[in-house]
Amino acid sequence: MDWKIELVAVPVSDVDRAIAFYRDQAGFTLDHDHRVGQGVRFVQFTPPGSACSIAFGEGISEMPPGSQRGLQIVVADAERARSELLGRGVDASDVDDQPWGRFVYFADPDGNTWALQELPARPYS
């Protein structure tokens, strides 16, 4: 039986500012923005090509805004992903080369942190 992560909560202080960041700067796809009821607004975004989405809004998470640390996305090309982020105004780190991959780091306006990882080439036997 497969167990697949489908949704991760990201705590934000300003829903509309977070929507603008994830849509216009991070380049994620807005899947849903629904007011479910009094005090509950559900917003869902999916990174391009991902099977897992993020959710935020009102009444979605008890975590303090900015407390989600170390979310990671695998990308095919760290340099290209960094260039795309920089081109959309995201303060992205330089590429960090490690034996286990190449990484680019950034944060949303609340300080939730992200890592983009380009996996190393896998040797064939």
Side-chain angles (χ1 to χ4, degrees):
M1 172 174 47
D2 291 340
W3 292 28
K4 299 179 182 182
I5 295 175
E6 182 176 318
L7 191 68
V8 175
V10 176
V12 303
S13 61
D14 182 323
V15 176
D16 293 319
R17 179 181 72 177
I19 287 171
F21 175 80
Y22 284 104
R23 180 191 58 216
D24 303 334
Q25 293 186 274
F28 291 15
T29 300
L30 176 60
D31 302 315
H32 303 285
D33 181 0
H34 298 287
R35 183 154 300 279
V36 179
Q38 184 68 23
V40 180
R41 180 178 177 189
F42 179 79
V43 178
Q44 179 177 320
F45 275 90
T46 304
S50 180
C52 183
S53 300
I54 64 169
F56 55 83
E58 299 168 14
I60 301 298
S61 174
E62 294 182 14
M63 293 183 289
S67 63
Q68 184 66 277
R69 302 285 182 197
L71 292 167
Q72 188 163 308
I73 298 173
V74 173
V75 296
D77 183 331
E79 288 286 351
R80 188 170 136 213
R82 178 179 184 270
S83 293
E84 287 181 17
L85 289 173
L86 292 173
R88 291 192 296 264
V90 175
D91 184 18
S93 72
D94 289 337
V95 175
D96 177 19
D97 288 304
Q98 298 294 329
W100 53 89
R102 304 179 76 222
F103 295 85
V104 174
Y105 306 99
F106 70 96
D108 73 10
D110 283 294
N112 297 298
T113 62
W114 292 84
L116 305 180
Q117 179 187 23
E118 176 185 334
L119 296 171
R122 296 180 192 245
Y124 294 96
S125 19

